[in-house]
Amino acid sequence: MKKVTLLLGILSSTSFCGANQVSEAQQPFIKRYENQKRIIAPEKARINSESEPDLNEGFVSLYNGKDLSNWTARGGYSTFEARADRIVGTCVKGSPSTYLSTLRNDYSNFIFTAELKWVIDGNSGIMFRAQHEPMQPYDRVFGPQCEMEGFAPMLKRQRGWSGGIYGQGYAAWIYPLWLEAHSAVRQALKKDDWNRVTIKADKGTVKTWVNGLPAAHWVNDQFLKGFFGLQVHSGKQGEVHFRNIKVKELNNLPEVHMANGIKIGEVDSDSAIIWTRLTESPERNTDGVPFPKSVPGDPNSVWPDTQPTFPDLSIMQGSVCGAAGKVRLSYWHKGAESAAHTTQWERVYPQNDYTHQFILTSLDSAAQYEIRVEGKNEGGNTCQLNGSFVTAPATDASSDIRFVVTTCGDYPRRDDPLNGHKIYPEMQALQPNFFVHAGDIEYYDKPAPYAKNLKLARFKWNRLYAMPYLRDFHNHTASYFMKDDHDTTRDDAWPGTDYFDLTWEQGLATFREQVPMGDKTYRTVRWGKDLQIWLVEGRDFRSANTTTDGPQKTIWGSEQKQWFFDTVRASNASFKILISPTPIVGPDRWNKNDNHANPGFSYEGNELRAFMAEQNNMFVICGDRHWQYASVDPITGLREFSCGPASDKHAAGYSEELRKDMHSFLRVKGGFLRVDLDSTSKILQFYHHTVDGSVVYEESFKSL
């Protein structure tokens, strides 16, 4: 073979021979690419001498044969459609390159294979371990691509580099197929027929094959995890068909765990929602890099507009990274596991933060259920977690009921640094039928870090619910979750209020993603003959706080308010309790203007207080306020109980000096509220507890 001497920008003149010798037929392409800095020098190119892997066992199809669910188009606006056994990509003139991408974006070590056919000549390729960056007007897709250049008319002379590696969006050609060793694969592509491409990525080593012939052997330490993307190149034309798209993930996948436990939500007499999340580790990262703090007066403090970006949240203190895999749920009556019902395996996806919610129906009323959530990855590693809950009694059944309520419980203000908020084991010891978190579960607009985007918002949720006290409690307690301003976007938010790059729409979606809530954010639940609760939404429908008060100014919105009036009037429960994320009665501080106890919403507040006061045995429990109280509206006599924040560290904003005649109890400390219903005596009792569980106030009422 003839020796060829090259000058490749970063290389000196060198003579090559054998497999690493550049083919004489490839010389027309040398000058075109000699200045590409990441291109691999011929004498340093590794040669793929491995046989194509066995493609018959252990593979999962990435195309369901029906539609493009689990895929999304990124980049330009060329089109993709599901057509029987294949996906068809069509070039749209003027569009940038377009990539039909898997929603999963954490494929790491795998064997990928697909078949391609060009019906209309055009360029294509397979993105793997790819990344994307939202930009305007088109997302930027970048990462390694296994080139499948077809018979594109853009090339004056066919290179035959299908199977080579191109650095899409960040480099250019990395591993071209211009060596003598690549002579066979350069001729492998078949015009007007199907062509198989195979990619094996194992840690830092990537190998490719085209129609069974070895092509690239690339060593890389930059792109180790990402999504797959089917490319339609920019240009004037092109129609590419893809079929038999499948992947086998290799067994060196990270293990899966459930560091965020189980959340059991929306329990009534015959249904429930079970939430879980797969994670890479069994616990949060306690030894990671701490977030910079915000200290008033400190010139080195970090504030929202100066907070740095955190490109790798996995190294940060408290991080709980999600993991790819599948989950399933088994549930059974307590003590009857042999009769368990088991769901199908369901895959978790990064677009849902690796969470999944199982909806259970046709449950028995007043029954004790045990559950088991299992997880697994494609490599066979498994994990499991057990839990339990009780369903509500039937509407016509009398039963004793106990429930607990708290509010305002973010991660930085926990009172046990290692385990979380102390109230959770205290509440669990009381064995409540259910729990209500009355909002401000997390604080996006508070530091360490400020949740200025979706990734940081999810980070804060996952960090909080990896705390052992919270996790253990929720594994065994039915819960209802309510949101308020801080866990939507920011303080005193109303519709359309973004927080930097965290949009209002993302805030609403993230709350539903992170807790089992169901279709509506306002709902009512009957717990037997004697108790009905109402949980209302205080952010989604409200007027701007700055709007002038009057009949049209609202917090609840007309639809929710009418629903509330109608369902309360229709209820024959002995006791009715409204649980609101913000006060209805108060009193509140003079400078606040965000709730029904404030002058800014007095018209609707007067309307609600008058209506509830007309009902027999109706009470209000509220969150939001960072102090505990019991109060009586001096005009209507309506009673309200503020549960108080989840820790003493979180208590602030009021004082004994502000105590009013309408207060029957006031305590500027943290804790929780407990409510007991004695169905025999028809007595309802309210108890305010400290963070260590002690009772500091109680009040009881007998059904009339």
Side-chain angles (χ1 to χ4, degrees):
M1 295 183 180
K2 182 180 179 180
K3 294 182 180 179
V4 180
T5 302
L6 302 176
L7 182 62
L8 294 175
I10 61 172
L11 305 177
S12 60
S13 297
T14 311
S15 294
F16 312 108
C17 61
N20 283 79
Q21 183 171 312
V22 177
S23 296
E24 186 173 2
Q26 290 288 306
Q27 290 188 64
F29 301 108
I30 292 174
K31 288 189 175 181
R32 179 181 295 190
Y33 303 111
E34 64 183 358
N35 293 322
Q36 295 184 8
K37 293 183 179 181
R38 298 195 188 218
I39 207 162
I40 295 174
E43 84 278 11
K44 294 183 179 180
R46 290 172 168 82
I47 306 302
N48 182 4
S49 57
E50 183 181 341
S51 298
E52 183 183 33
D54 182 355
L55 303 179
N56 294 314
E57 293 185 2
F59 283 80
V60 174
S61 177
L62 295 178
Y63 170 51
N64 63 17
K66 298 181 298 183
D67 55 39
L68 298 183
S69 58
N70 303 329
W71 295 83
T72 186
R74 295 189 171 112
Y77 50 87
S78 289
T79 63
F80 292 88
E81 63 174 311
R83 191 183 298 173
D85 67 337
R86 68 196 65 181
I87 294 173
V88 177
T90 304
C91 177
V92 173
K93 184 178 179 181
S95 169
S97 291
T98 309
Y99 308 85
L100 185 66
S101 308
T102 58
L103 290 176
R104 265 193 66 184
N105 64 357
D106 59 356
Y107 289 101
S108 179
N109 303 302
F110 53 80
I111 300 170
F112 171 96
T113 187
E115 293 178 324
L116 291 79
K117 180 168 71 172
W118 289 264
V119 175
I120 300 175
D121 284 345
N123 184 279
S124 186
I126 305 294
M127 299 293 297
F128 61 95
R129 291 176 168 175
Q131 310 292 320
H132 88 286
E133 179 182 7
M135 297 182 71
Q136 295 296 330
Y138 311 110
D139 283 2
R140 172 183 172 233
V141 175
F142 61 100
Q145 178 187 116
C146 180
E147 174 75 3
M148 292 297 286
E149 63 186 18
F151 302 88
M154 70 181 70
L155 300 177
K156 294 180 179 179
R157 181 176 176 182
Q158 290 302 123
R159 294 175 302 206
W161 287 4
S162 291
I165 307 297
Y166 187 82
Q168 179 64 44
Y170 78 100
W173 277 103
I174 297 171
Y175 191 107
L177 302 185
W178 52 15
L179 304 180
E180 286 290 347
H182 303 133
S183 295
V185 73
R186 284 199 301 270
Q187 308 302 318
L189 214 62
K190 297 176 287 187
K191 191 174 177 65
D192 302 324
D193 202 352
W194 290 100
N195 294 274
R196 183 176 70 252
V197 58
T198 300
I199 306 166
K200 180 181 179 182
D202 190 357
K203 298 181 181 176
T205 299
V206 175
K207 296 183 180 181
T208 65
W209 294 260
V210 175
N211 290 328
L213 295 177
H217 182 172
W218 175 50
V219 175
N220 136 76
D221 60 2
Q222 181 178 1
F223 293 92
L224 297 176
K225 181 168 66 174
F227 57 81
F228 293 112
L230 313 179
Q231 185 199 38
V232 169
H233 201 281
S234 60
K236 297 180 180 180
Q237 65 174 30
E239 181 178 303
V240 192
H241 293 214
F242 303 84
R243 73 178 186 184
N244 294 329
I245 309 161
K246 55 187 182 178
V247 66
K248 177 181 180 178
E249 295 190 72
L250 302 179
N251 288 339
N252 51 5
L253 295 170
E255 294 184 349
V256 292
H257 302 275
M258 296 177 184
N260 294 118
I262 299 169
K263 298 187 185 101
I264 304 163
E266 300 304 300
V267 174
D268 57 23
S269 61
D270 64 0
S271 65
I273 304 174
I274 312 299
W275 177 101
T276 195
R277 178 176 186 258
L278 286 185
T279 60
E280 290 184 357
S281 58
E283 301 291 343
R284 74 193 193 284
N285 179 3
T286 57
D287 299 321
V289 179
F291 286 95
K293 295 183 178 180
S294 302
V295 180
D298 183 347
N300 297 316
S301 280
V302 169
W303 302 102
D305 55 348
T306 61
Q307 177 176 272
T309 59
F310 303 103
D312 185 2
L313 287 174
S314 67
I315 68 171
M316 304 305 292
Q317 194 174 93
S319 67
V320 189
C321 295
K326 296 180 180 179
V327 292
R328 72 176 179 183
L329 172 72
S330 299
Y331 60 101
W332 60 90
H333 282 282
K334 184 177 181 180
E337 186 174 353
S338 60
H341 300 275
T342 301
T343 70
Q344 298 295 315
W345 286 101
E346 302 286 349
R347 187 176 294 279
V348 297
Y349 294 101
Q351 73 271 20
N352 293 329
D353 197 28
Y354 304 97
T355 67
H356 186 77
Q357 300 187 27
F358 297 95
I359 299 175
L360 304 184
T361 58
S362 302
L363 302 179
D364 293 327
S365 61
Q368 293 184 314
Y369 279 93
E370 295 179 325
I371 60 176
R372 178 182 299 116
V373 179
E374 300 170 90
K376 68 177 182 179
N377 65 11
E378 300 297 342
N381 169 248
T382 61
C383 61
Q384 67 178 43
L385 193 61
N386 285 13
S388 60
F389 66 95
V390 295
T391 53
T395 303
D396 58 354
S398 290
S399 179
D400 293 348
I401 303 294
R402 169 174 291 171
F403 69 94
V404 288
V405 187
T406 195
T407 190
C408 304
D410 64 341
Y411 180 90
R413 286 176 278 194
R414 65 197 187 279
D415 39 20
D416 185 318
L418 291 178
N419 296 299
H421 298 79
K422 294 178 181 178
I423 65 167
Y424 283 94
E426 297 298 334
M427 292 190 297
Q428 191 168 359
L430 295 171
Q431 298 183 318
N433 295 78
F434 64 90
F435 162 74
V436 179
H437 201 302
D440 288 341
I441 300 172
E442 253 305 345
Y443 282 66
Y444 295 153
D445 55 342
K446 294 295 182 182
Y450 298 99
K452 295 168 57 178
N453 56 48
L454 178 58
K455 286 185 178 180
L456 288 170
R458 286 170 164 168
F459 176 94
K460 296 184 83 164
W461 277 95
N462 298 328
R463 178 179 66 173
L464 178 65
Y465 280 99
M467 301 300 297
Y469 282 165
L470 279 73
R471 186 176 58 204
D472 294 347
F473 176 82
H474 284 290
N475 288 348
H476 297 281
T477 309
S479 301
Y480 304 95
F481 297 91
M482 307 175 72
K483 66 179 171 63
D484 199 15
D485 46 358
H486 296 285
D487 42 20
T488 302
T489 54
R490 64 169 177 81
D491 188 35
D492 290 355
W494 56 77
T497 306
D498 299 339
Y499 184 62
F500 292 90
D501 293 333
L502 180 68
T503 68
W504 175 263
E505 291 74 19
Q506 287 175 330
L508 299 185
T510 300
F511 195 91
R512 287 172 176 261
E513 171 189 272
Q514 296 296 328
V515 301
M517 193 175 202
D519 293 334
K520 281 191 175 291
T521 56
Y522 60 89
R523 59 267 200 218
T524 181
V525 187
R526 188 73 179 255
W527 276 80
K529 182 179 180 180
D530 298 309
L531 178 65
Q532 186 166 349
I533 63 170
W534 283 260
L535 306 132
V536 291
E537 171 58 55
R539 294 293 154 186
D540 292 6
F541 316 114
R542 68 162 54 214
S543 308
N545 291 355
T546 53
T547 304
T548 302
D549 192 33
Q552 303 305 314
K553 189 174 184 181
T554 182
I555 291 178
W556 287 7
S558 59
E559 181 180 317
Q560 178 180 206
K561 190 158 55 175
Q562 191 59 54
W563 161 86
F564 177 73
F565 292 156
D566 292 344
T567 52
V568 169
R569 290 188 184 106
S571 175
N572 62 354
S574 302
F575 294 98
K576 306 175 184 69
I577 299 178
L578 166 66
I579 306 177
S580 169
T582 53
I584 304 292
V585 173
D588 197 7
R589 291 166 289 180
W590 65 270
N591 60 337
K592 294 296 291 182
N593 195 36
D594 190 53
N595 62 63
H596 287 116
N598 302 143
F601 288 94
S602 59
Y603 188 95
E604 187 172 68
N606 291 335
E607 182 183 17
L608 294 175
R609 288 186 289 271
F611 172 77
M612 285 185 277
E614 293 174 353
Q615 314 304 314
N616 289 329
N617 300 318
M618 187 158 197
F619 306 90
V620 179
I621 295 172
C622 76
D624 188 43
R625 300 299 77 188
H626 298 191
W627 57 93
Q628 295 179 322
Y629 67 79
S631 66
V632 182
D633 180 42
I635 297 174
T636 65
L638 181 66
R639 294 177 178 271
E640 180 170 83
F641 297 85
S642 171
C643 57
S647 67
D648 285 341
K649 288 185 177 181
H650 213 135
Y654 214 76
S655 66
E656 280 290 338
E657 288 73 22
L658 297 174
R659 188 173 186 135
K660 309 292 183 184
D661 291 341
M662 59 191 295
H663 281 117
S664 54
F665 169 69
L666 174 64
R667 177 176 176 268
V668 188
K669 291 286 187 179
F672 61 94
L673 182 71
R674 173 179 124 225
V675 182
D676 285 355
L677 170 64
D678 186 319
S679 61
T680 302
S681 64
K682 295 292 190 292
I683 291 178
L684 189 72
Q685 294 177 289
F686 294 85
Y687 299 89
H688 278 100
H689 290 254
T690 65
V691 294
D692 63 5
S694 300
V695 175
V696 288
Y697 180 76
E698 61 182 277
E699 196 169 350
S700 62
F701 305 91
K702 186 174 178 60
S703 176
L704 301 177

